[in-house]
């Protein structure tokens, strides 16, 4: 698809601004959920082919906690929130108000907490995109899997398109007050082809 190569710096800035707005909304919701001040920053937004995403994330053999949701409404596709396993464990400690290093496995409570964070983040990012595009976007109920990054990021697991499809990848860093180190994750938006074109049309601002 020529669209990706034609995107200009100004348009990537527009995508990053949408992501920053979503991150701000998500930070507010997570702060209320955890009673901790939280900042979420978006160091980088990329648009990359699906088959290259494991390389963008850095470690195809790394174990991740992945929250998958379907995007419905005026645009359709998938959203995927990925946390490296150490960040997912640390996040569970914060959500369940445990001492750091307590979480050793992802039981029912831990899975519920991660899915709720995925729901909050995905909804916040989709709402920001919805506001910019003037379209209705509705996320589905989240599902969670803990597996290798390369196993999660396959068309078979995602039930999504082909390797030629493009993914919006939003790197996200979470800084909780009084917690160290920062937690890292990636939010992936995988629009269907028609929705991808609609997003490109909406951000062609220069």
């Amino acid at each position: 698809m020529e669209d990706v190569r034609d995107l200009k710096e100004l348009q990537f800035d527009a995508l990053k601004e949408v992501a920053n707005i979503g991150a701000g909304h998500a930070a507010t919701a997570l702060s209320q959920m955890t009673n901790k001040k939280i900042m979420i920053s978006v160091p980088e937004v990329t648009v990359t082919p699906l088959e290259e995403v494991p390389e963008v994330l850095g470690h195809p053999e790394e174990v991740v906690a992945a929250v998958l949701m379907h995007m419905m409404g005026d645009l359709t596709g998938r959203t995927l929130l990925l946390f490296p396993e150490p960040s997912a464990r640390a996040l569970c400690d914060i959500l369940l108000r445990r001492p750091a290093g307590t979480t050793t496995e992802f039981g029912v409570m831990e899975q519920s907490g991660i899915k709720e964070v995925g729901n909050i983040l995905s909804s916040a990012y989709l709402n920001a995109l919805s506001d910019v595009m003037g379209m209705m976007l509705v996320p589905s109920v989240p599902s969670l899997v803990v597996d290798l990054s390369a196993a999660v990021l396959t068309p078979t697991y995602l039930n999504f398109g082909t390797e030629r499809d493009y993914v919006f990848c939003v790197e996200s860093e979470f800084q909780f007050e009084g917690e160290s180190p920062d937690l890292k994750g990636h939010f992936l938006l995988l629009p269907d082809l028609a929705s991808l074109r609609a997003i490109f049309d909406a951000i062609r601002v220069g």
Side-chain angles (χ1 to χ4, degrees):
M1 179 184 284
E2 296 299 318
D3 305 65
V4 174
R5 290 187 289 273
D6 289 345
L7 284 180
K8 300 175 184 176
E9 183 178 355
L10 193 61
Q11 292 156 348
F12 274 106
D13 287 344
L15 281 174
K16 190 169 183 178
E17 180 59 26
V18 170
N20 275 316
I21 292 170
H25 293 324
T28 299
L30 283 176
S31 294
Q32 294 170 347
M33 181 180 176
T34 60
N35 286 327
K36 284 180 176 286
K37 184 178 180 181
I38 177 177
M39 299 290 292
I40 302 178
S41 59
V42 180
E44 188 174 14
V45 177
T46 57
V47 182
T48 191
L50 177 59
E51 77 270 17
E52 295 178 12
V53 170
E55 296 174 22
V56 172
L57 301 186
H59 304 286
E61 298 303 310
E62 181 179 41
V63 175
V64 296
V67 181
L68 176 68
M69 301 172 71
H70 293 250
M71 177 174 63
M72 302 172 290
D74 294 327
L75 300 179
T76 55
R78 311 283 185 272
T79 68
L80 193 67
L81 180 67
L82 296 171
F83 286 110
E85 188 177 18
S87 288
R89 292 181 188 275
L91 182 61
C92 288
D93 288 339
I94 294 169
L95 294 174
L96 299 173
R97 303 182 187 185
R98 298 167 169 168
T102 300
T103 299
T104 58
E105 62 181 22
F106 298 108
V108 174
M109 286 197 304
E110 290 83 3
Q111 291 183 35
S112 178
I114 294 173
K115 285 193 284 189
E116 182 57 26
V117 171
N119 188 30
I120 288 171
L121 280 165
S122 296
S123 296
Y125 282 129
L126 289 183
N127 285 340
L129 184 61
S130 175
D131 289 344
V132 168
M133 299 189 66
M135 294 181 173
M136 183 183 71
L137 305 179
V138 181
S140 71
V141 174
S143 61
L144 173 69
V145 65
V146 179
D147 205 337
L148 298 180
S149 173
V152 171
L153 293 164
T154 61
T156 301
Y157 169 70
L158 296 170
N159 189 23
F160 174 80
T162 70
E163 289 81 357
R164 294 187 300 278
D165 288 308
Y166 283 89
V167 178
F168 294 85
C169 184
V170 180
E171 184 181 350
S172 304
E173 293 184 352
F174 305 79
Q175 182 177 17
F176 286 86
E177 184 180 37
E179 301 290 338
S180 180
D182 296 349
L183 307 182
K184 295 183 182 295
H186 285 86
F187 172 78
L188 307 182
L189 175 64
L190 303 92
D192 294 331
L193 185 57
S195 299
L196 179 68
R197 292 189 181 279
I199 293 170
F200 282 142
D201 288 343
I203 63 172
R204 289 198 180 285
V205 292

